[in-house]
Structure formats: structure tokens, C-alpha cells
Amino acid sequence: MTPADLADLADEVRAGKLGPDPGQVRVSVAFTTHQGVRHASRGQSYRNSVVSLRVDRAVGSCAVEPGDISDDDVHDTVGASVADLLDHPHAALRIAALDAYLMSAHPHETSGAHPVVVPAGGSLEKSMARAATVVDLLDLPPGGRVLVVGVVNSLLHHLRSRGLDYTACDLKGGRTEWGEPIVADADPGDCDAVLASGMTLGNGTFEPLLRAAAGRPVVVFAQTGSAVLPWFVGAGVTAVSAEPYPFFWLDGGPSTIHIYRERPSW
């Protein structure tokens, strides 16, 4: 199926059309990962928090702002059914439950995605290697302009090295590693393409962004909703770099991301 929007995809899951009865699928483990990072040679540090729920062998995730969700809210999902969690009042838990369910029912390894191994290395090395793969999905000639929603300096580095201009956008504002202003309004304007974080699912900006970007290529790099966003390839999304938990920044060893350029073979 090609979902009209996120609510449509969730309705298909509720109806049992995309896998087992979600009322019988329960969360066995729930946890939050807090990250603080400052890569060697970089002048900026940042923090991330990610809520993750486990369903069978799959872990679904959604990034949240630090302090935005309590440990009790996360713990209370343990033993709950996916059907119940799809109606949870906190968006992050709805997304994480949907992500875990879809990853359990439709693993990346059997979906026709192209796996790419991020080699072992330091945190900056792995960040740069992942960013190179993500930026490759844009297929823009030098001189093109990209709206980057969810600022990752390694992505901006690769855009700069390929002669691509960009508008950096993030709800938190601020400045990039190179001192450029970060805007809060995700308006594609005169940009030729959009490069967006999966975090847009959790903060409610994904669907407005797709509408605003109509007619332009949209590439999503997804730790949040890595099993959700491939369903939108061909429905407003051009390509997805799907990265399920555990993420590249958690370990110095090799890690795998899954590239979708066409509709998955579900």
C-alpha cells in the first residue's frame, strides 16, 4: 500500500493489513538512550535523546528533545500492545511503537533495501562515512541548493565539498560549525531538494514538509522511524537512509544502514 499520510499507515496497521494483529503484539523492552557528543576537531557539542521500544527481535525508535518525556512514561509501555500504543498521547511513543511493529513484520534485510556498512572508526570518522552515503542520495549537480532539516555538521561538510549550497534548518536554531545561521522555518523556497531527518516524524513536521516540498526530491536520513519512512518512498519521499538501533554513534565497530531508492518489495 502507498500511505496518504502517517495516520493512514497507522490505520493499516490497526486493521492488521500489514502484519499480525497489533492487539496481540506487545512491547517487551522499553528504554531511552541519552547521547552527548563533541567530535574531535569540531567546535560544537550537542545532545540527543532517543526512545526505543522492542517488539520481538525488532527495536523501533523516535528521537525526543532531552527532558521531553519521563522515564515513567517510557517504562509504562512495557507489556502494552502496539494497538494501544498507536493511540498513546505522546507522539514519540506512537512513532516508536509503529516503527518497532513494521520492522518486526518487514525487516530491512528482506525488504529489498541496499545495505551499506559504515566502517569501524572514531565517532567523527563514522559520522563522516554515514554522511557521505546520505548525501550521495541527492543526485544534484554542483551549484544546486538543498534545504537541510535537522542540522548534522557532517552532512553539511559533504554538501560543501560537492559544491552544493544549502539552507540549514532546525527548530532549535543556532549556527552551523561554519557560523552560518540556522533557520527555524522549514520552507523549501528556492531550494532544489530537501534533506530531512527522521526526527520530523516525532515533532509533527514531516507531512507539512512533504506538502511544501511537492515536486522536489526529498531524501530522509532516518534513525527515528527507520522502518516507517520507507513506506513513503514514491509517496513524496525520493530516498531513505534507514538506520535502525543500535546507531552508528553507539559503537566504534562497523554498523549497517539500509538504502531505499525505490518502493520496498513487501
Side-chain angles (χ1 to χ4, degrees):
M1 58 89 66
T2 300
D5 52 29
L6 195 58
D8 186 30
L9 182 60
D11 284 344
E12 294 291 302
V13 170
R14 287 188 186 92
K17 295 180 179 179
L18 303 183
D21 177 2
Q24 301 302 314
V25 177
R26 298 189 177 274
V27 170
S28 59
V29 180
F31 57 99
T32 306
T33 305
H34 299 293
Q35 172 213 27
V37 62
R38 179 174 175 177
H39 297 304
S41 80
R42 289 277 174 84
Q44 295 181 344
S45 63
Y46 55 89
R47 301 189 325 175
N48 286 320
S49 295
V50 181
V51 173
S52 299
L53 305 181
R54 182 167 182 169
V55 167
D56 194 20
R57 67 173 185 169
V59 174
S61 298
C62 183
V64 295
E65 290 299 319
D68 189 46
I69 191 169
S70 72
D71 289 341
D72 286 343
D73 283 339
V74 176
H75 180 267
D76 287 347
T77 66
V78 175
S81 72
V82 168
D84 287 340
L85 292 175
L86 290 177
D87 295 315
H88 197 281
H90 202 297
L93 295 175
R94 296 196 300 271
I95 295 297
L98 179 62
D99 192 37
Y101 176 91
L102 290 172
M103 201 176 313
S104 178
H106 306 279
H108 292 301
E109 293 78 7
T110 61
S111 64
H114 173 62
V116 174
V117 175
V118 177
S123 65
L124 180 58
E125 292 172 307
K126 293 194 71 177
S127 178
M128 292 288 283
R130 183 195 72 144
T133 297
V134 171
V135 171
D136 280 345
L137 298 175
L138 285 167
D139 293 330
L140 283 182
R145 188 168 192 86
V146 182
L147 174 66
V148 182
V149 182
V151 173
V152 176
N153 284 311
S154 293
L155 293 174
L156 301 186
H157 170 94
H158 280 288
L159 293 173
R160 294 165 67 94
S161 70
R162 299 176 194 203
L164 295 169
D165 294 323
Y166 54 81
T167 297
C169 174
D170 196 287
L171 291 176
K172 291 178 285 190
R175 291 189 172 272
T176 72
E177 185 77 15
W178 298 271
E180 302 146 333
I182 299 173
V183 304
D185 183 15
D187 179 6
D190 60 354
C191 291
D192 302 300
V194 175
L195 178 60
S197 165
M199 291 177 68
T200 55
L201 283 176
N203 64 26
T205 61
F206 174 66
E207 287 157 358
L209 179 62
L210 282 192
R211 291 192 292 270
R216 299 175 177 86
V218 175
V219 173
V220 185
F221 54 102
Q223 294 178 343
T224 291
S226 79
V228 174
L229 285 158
W231 290 85
F232 292 91
V233 174
V237 173
T238 308
V240 174
S241 167
E243 184 180 354
Y245 196 95
F247 311 127
F248 80 90
W249 39 264
L250 282 166
D251 184 80
S255 49
T256 302
I257 56 180
H258 305 270
I259 302 302
Y260 293 86
R261 286 183 177 268
E262 299 177 354
R263 289 286 298 162
S265 55
W266 292 314

